[in-house]
Amino acid sequence: MGRRDPGRLVAVAVAAVFLLVGILGFVPGVTTGELAFAGHGSEAMLFGVFAVSVLHNLVHLALGAVGLALAASERGARVFLVGGAAIYLALWLYGVLGPADVVPINDADNWLHLFLAAGMAGLAFLVGTPRRSTNTPMHPTEGGER
């Protein structure tokens, strides 16, 4: 990954944060309360603020792993950021409009999901589309003339 691959670098950083949060969700002290597998049965709170469960933590770990895998290419990194934005927008809508039966979601989670959706979409926009190879001429001439 070189200096000219900002999309890949950003995707790796975002994916690493998801992996870290997924791990911290299992660490006693960082996560307080009784950690259930899924649903409202989980009383666990990450940092004392965000509702989590085993399933919630596994989703963070999976998203981080997918992000690292997709960051192997500039296009994959952009797909991860745009796809992650869409997923978090859907989670925000799910938390606001629907009953959060499968994954525990509270108001702090809803705000975080909205922030993540906007942040990942913004990062995807900022890093732009993948660049052309430097071996491809920008303005090919007709008939091979230079």
Side-chain angles (χ1 to χ4, degrees):
M1 199 173 343
R3 288 186 349 200
R4 62 182 186 200
D5 297 333
R8 292 175 61 198
L9 182 61
V10 166
V12 166
V14 171
V17 169
F18 282 118
L19 288 172
L20 179 62
V21 168
I23 292 167
L24 290 175
F26 292 110
V27 176
V30 178
T31 299
T32 57
E34 188 67 30
L35 186 66
F37 180 75
H40 286 295
S42 184
E43 298 171 0
M45 300 291 279
L46 179 64
F47 305 121
V49 177
F50 303 104
V52 293
S53 65
V54 171
L55 180 60
H56 201 143
N57 294 333
L58 292 174
V59 168
H60 286 138
L61 291 170
L63 189 58
V66 167
L68 288 180
L70 287 173
S73 71
E74 284 186 65
R75 181 182 170 124
R78 188 167 161 83
V79 165
F80 168 64
L81 293 171
V82 171
I87 288 168
Y88 276 102
L89 183 61
L91 281 171
W92 174 73
L93 288 170
Y94 174 72
V96 171
L97 302 176
D101 292 338
V102 178
V103 177
I105 296 176
N106 61 17
D107 287 340
D109 290 304
N110 285 333
W111 283 107
L112 180 61
H113 293 160
L114 183 59
F115 172 78
L116 286 170
M120 291 178 82
L123 288 170
F125 175 76
L126 286 175
V127 296
T129 57
R131 296 186 182 121
R132 290 184 186 192
S133 169
T134 56
N135 296 332
T136 305
M138 294 286 290
H139 303 286
T141 59
E142 293 182 29
E145 295 177 19
R146 290 189 181 232

